[in-house]
Amino acid sequence: MRQKLIITLTTVRGSKQYTLNQLAKYLVGLFLLLSALSFFVSNLLLVKTRDHLNGLAQEKLMLEEQYIEALGTQQSYMKNLIELSELFTETFYEKYQLENEKYQLEEEVIRLDADLNEMESILGIIPSPEQPASPEERTDLLKAAALQRLFLLHSIPNGLPVKGAKISSGFGERVHPISRRRSQHNGIDFPSPIGTPIYATADGIVERAGLESGSGFGNLIILQHNFGFKTFYAHLNEIKIAQGQYVHKGQLIGTVGKTGRVTGPHLHYEVRHLLTPLDPYPFARWGLSNFDYIFNAVEDIPWESLSAIYPLNQAGPQ
């Protein structure tokens, strides 16, 4: 007889007995059922997971495309940012240059205004506070005044005929160094070494150039100038111009000597107006920086008539 294992299960409803064979059948059936259920559940989860993975893959592709697009946009932004930075740097540099140029122009305007004020002061021009002129108008007025004054300074003797020389004998009465008698000295004497250059003190024409015998002048140059003025240069060693020649102010006309009645080498210099000898000293001091000086220092000249012939500016003779 086969041995069977009998399992008795007791519940409130009673007791049941199962043999092992029956239990095994149940367990196998249950296992198969669970296996089938697990298979279907696993397949379902697998399908869902695969779909989910496919979705994730698509999202990954979309994200990668968006990333590439964003990266390109970022690079474009970076390029634009670099261009903007370069443009800003260039603009800032141009702004700095313009500010620097503006500052330099302001300084130049200040210097120009100071120069104009100085020139107006030198030329005796008094700007009108009621009607202030522009720098261009002030410059034009200064040019006109300067041309007028330069014309007179080139027409009327002024400055020194010998550079750096001192005066040894002035204009007026004196004891003559040779005759020892009191006599009129019609010029001023500049003692200088023989050969020292002598320059014309105004534009003019050579009236005389040569030895003046019997006068004591020795070698003499006489220049005719505008408005009736003449200048005399006596006791010369050399004469470098000829009679009838035109000369300009500052031109070399001769050299210092000791010809004629002299005790030593020097230049005897005279200024005459309509044959009347004038003291050359005020004319030697006269120049652009003290233009008004001559009109008060020399009273023997009818300056008012000169003003009528060639109108001066506001600082002209009164």
Side-chain angles (χ1 to χ4, degrees):
M1 183 175 189
R2 295 168 125 188
Q3 293 182 351
K4 295 181 182 179
L5 179 60
I6 299 173
I7 297 174
T8 303
L9 297 176
T10 303
T11 63
V12 294
R13 295 181 181 179
S15 298
K16 288 186 179 182
Q17 291 183 346
Y18 299 93
T19 62
L20 183 59
N21 289 336
Q22 292 176 335
L23 183 59
K25 290 179 181 179
Y26 288 126
L27 290 175
V28 170
L30 180 61
F31 174 75
L32 293 175
L33 179 61
L34 291 175
S35 296
L37 182 61
S38 175
F39 175 77
F40 286 113
V41 171
S42 298
N43 284 339
L44 181 60
L45 292 175
L46 181 61
V47 171
K48 290 185 176 180
T49 302
R50 185 179 60 190
D51 293 340
H52 183 62
L53 289 176
N54 290 334
L56 291 176
Q58 292 179 356
E59 290 181 3
K60 178 176 176 294
L61 291 175
M62 291 177 60
L63 290 174
E64 288 178 349
E65 291 177 355
Q66 293 176 358
Y67 172 75
I68 293 173
E69 183 179 357
L71 184 62
T73 303
Q74 182 185 13
Q75 291 177 348
S76 177
Y77 286 159
M78 289 297 296
K79 182 180 179 181
N80 292 336
L81 182 61
I82 293 173
E83 291 177 353
L84 288 174
S85 177
E86 292 176 350
L87 180 61
F88 173 77
T89 302
E90 183 179 353
T91 304
F92 179 80
Y93 180 70
E94 290 179 355
K95 177 176 176 291
Y96 171 76
Q97 283 187 318
L98 289 174
E99 289 179 348
N100 190 36
E101 291 176 0
K102 176 187 175 185
Y103 176 74
Q104 292 178 350
L105 286 175
E106 289 176 349
E107 286 190 333
E108 189 66 27
V109 168
I110 293 174
R111 285 196 295 267
L112 176 60
D113 189 65
D115 291 341
L116 289 175
N117 290 336
E118 182 179 0
M119 289 299 299
E120 287 171 344
S121 177
I122 291 174
L123 296 178
I125 298 175
I126 302 175
S128 173
E130 291 81 11
Q131 296 179 344
S134 67
E136 293 77 10
E137 293 173 337
R138 294 171 65 187
T139 302
D140 291 339
L141 181 60
L142 284 172
K143 286 180 180 179
L147 286 175
Q148 289 180 351
R149 296 191 173 201
L150 288 175
F151 173 77
L152 291 180
L153 288 171
H154 276 263
S155 301
I156 301 174
N158 63 93
L160 295 173
V162 179
K163 294 182 179 179
K166 295 182 179 179
I167 299 174
S168 61
S169 181
F171 178 85
E173 284 193 3
R174 66 166 186 175
V175 177
H176 195 280
I178 295 179
S179 67
R180 297 298 176 182
R181 297 179 181 178
R182 293 191 66 83
S183 60
Q184 175 69 21
H185 189 229
N186 289 332
I188 54 179
D189 293 340
F190 296 95
S192 302
I194 293 178
T196 301
I198 299 172
Y199 303 96
T201 55
D203 298 343
I205 187 171
V206 181
E207 178 182 314
R208 187 173 301 177
L211 180 61
E212 186 74 9
S213 59
S215 66
F217 282 143
N219 289 328
L220 174 68
I221 292 176
I222 301 177
L223 300 181
Q224 292 183 8
H225 308 290
N226 288 333
F227 309 114
F229 288 93
K230 289 185 180 182
T231 51
F232 288 61
Y233 309 80
H235 310 308
L236 276 60
N237 184 54
E238 292 181 280
I239 295 177
K240 296 184 177 295
I241 53 177
Q243 185 172 347
Q245 179 181 343
Y246 288 97
V247 297
H248 59 81
K249 177 177 172 58
Q251 181 177 337
L252 176 66
I253 58 175
T255 60
V256 173
K258 58 176 183 179
T259 58
R261 297 180 64 190
V262 295
T263 58
H266 71 277
L267 169 67
H268 174 81
Y269 174 64
E270 294 185 13
V271 175
R272 299 187 183 187
H273 182 257
L274 302 179
L275 302 180
T276 301
L278 303 174
D279 185 357
Y281 182 71
F283 293 90
R285 289 187 55 196
W286 183 39
L288 184 62
S289 61
N290 62 343
F291 186 79
D292 299 335
Y293 163 77
I294 196 69
F295 305 119
N296 299 317
V298 180
E299 299 178 353
D300 297 330
I301 306 297
W303 298 115
E304 294 80 4
S305 300
L306 178 62
S307 176
I309 295 173
Y310 191 85
L312 303 177
N313 56 33
Q314 300 173 6
Q318 303 297 325

